[in-house]
Amino acid sequence: GVGVESVEGRDIVEEHLQVCLEAGLNITGINAEVMVGQWEYQIFSKDPYKAADDMWAARWLLEKICLKKHRVVIFQVI
């Protein structure tokens, strides 16, 4: 997604990426999806337990960021 008419929530996504990196989580990428306001982030680790822990920590951080900005998070794990 490129352009203000196609993307919403970039401020949240970029803040989330930054706090995840500062927390030492292995977040490997972010990207805007087809729907306005639909975003994706990727967590990677060769250790499945670390990847799962990082995923839950990243989710918690995203919930906290969205709470202060009065936004709702809907997760889909694929």
Side-chain angles (χ1 to χ4, degrees):
V2 177
V4 70
E5 71 282 350
S6 302
V7 178
E8 187 175 312
R10 185 176 299 276
D11 59 328
I12 293 170
V13 172
E14 289 179 352
E15 182 178 348
H16 178 248
L17 174 64
Q18 188 61 40
V19 297
C20 284
L21 292 172
E22 289 172 5
L25 304 182
N26 198 7
I27 189 166
T28 58
I30 58 171
N31 60 289
E33 292 293 331
V34 176
M35 300 287 292
V36 174
Q38 181 182 5
W39 288 87
E40 173 184 301
Y41 63 90
Q42 297 85 33
I43 300 287
F44 177 79
S45 178
K46 291 183 180 181
D47 176 359
Y49 296 109
K50 167 109 171 80
D53 287 347
D54 283 1
M55 183 181 70
W56 280 105
R59 177 181 175 147
W60 183 81
L61 289 167
L62 184 58
E63 289 280 359
K64 290 297 185 182
I65 291 167
C66 288
L67 181 65
K68 75 179 182 181
K69 295 181 181 273
H70 305 285
R71 297 290 183 252
V72 176
V73 179
I74 299 171
F75 287 96
Q76 179 181 7
V77 178
I78 50 174

